[in-house]
Amino acid sequence: MTPPLSAPLLRNGAPWRTAWKGLWLMAVAAVHTVFAVVEFLPQWNEIARRGVFDSVGTDPMLGAVVWFGLFGIVLALLGWAIALLERSNAAALQALRTLGWGVLGLALAGIVLMPASGFWLALPPAMALCRGTRR
């Protein structure tokens, strides 16, 4: 007799099918950061040429590139925190829900301001976190 089919488990016993939101955001962050390096390589080279420290100055393009690149790091940290909370006890559910509303607000603001962007990729985990009833 074979055991019933179930989702693969993470190390702490949480099924992959319910603890995916943090990993999703970390994957999006990795793609975002690689894109930032590849797409804006000339601007990163200019920052290096200027000696890095105070290299952005008043150049709006360099400022935008730096913020674009740094956002990938912030998104990765958020994904990591969510991944840890997803594997935690029931007390973490309220924190996850609050983070979900924050991610949803950020994603919607980004979609309104820039519809042709990657902000859409934050909607699935944000909405799942907002539901909060299922881990």
Side-chain angles (χ1 to χ4, degrees), residues 28-53:
V28 170
V31 170
H32 179 90
T33 302
V34 168
F35 180 83
V37 170
V38 171
E39 183 68 20
F40 301 114
L41 190 57
Q43 289 82 5
W44 291 114
N45 286 336
E46 178 61 19
I47 289 169
R49 189 189 69 70
R50 292 182 181 186
V52 181
F53 181 76

Side-chain angles (χ1 to χ4, degrees), residues 43-101:
Q43 289 82 5
W44 291 114
N45 286 336
E46 178 61 19
I47 289 169
R49 189 189 69 70
R50 292 182 181 186
V52 181
F53 181 76
D54 198 25
S55 58
V56 172
T58 58
D59 185 329
M61 181 61 178
L62 291 183
V65 167
V66 167
W67 275 107
F68 188 87
L70 292 178
F71 183 78
I73 296 167
V74 173
L75 186 59
L77 291 170
L78 175 64
W80 178 64
I82 289 172
L84 291 175
L85 287 169
E86 283 182 308
R87 290 158 183 79
S88 188
N89 60 25
L93 289 178
Q94 183 56 43
L96 283 170
R97 211 172 195 176
T98 303
L99 283 170
W101 285 108

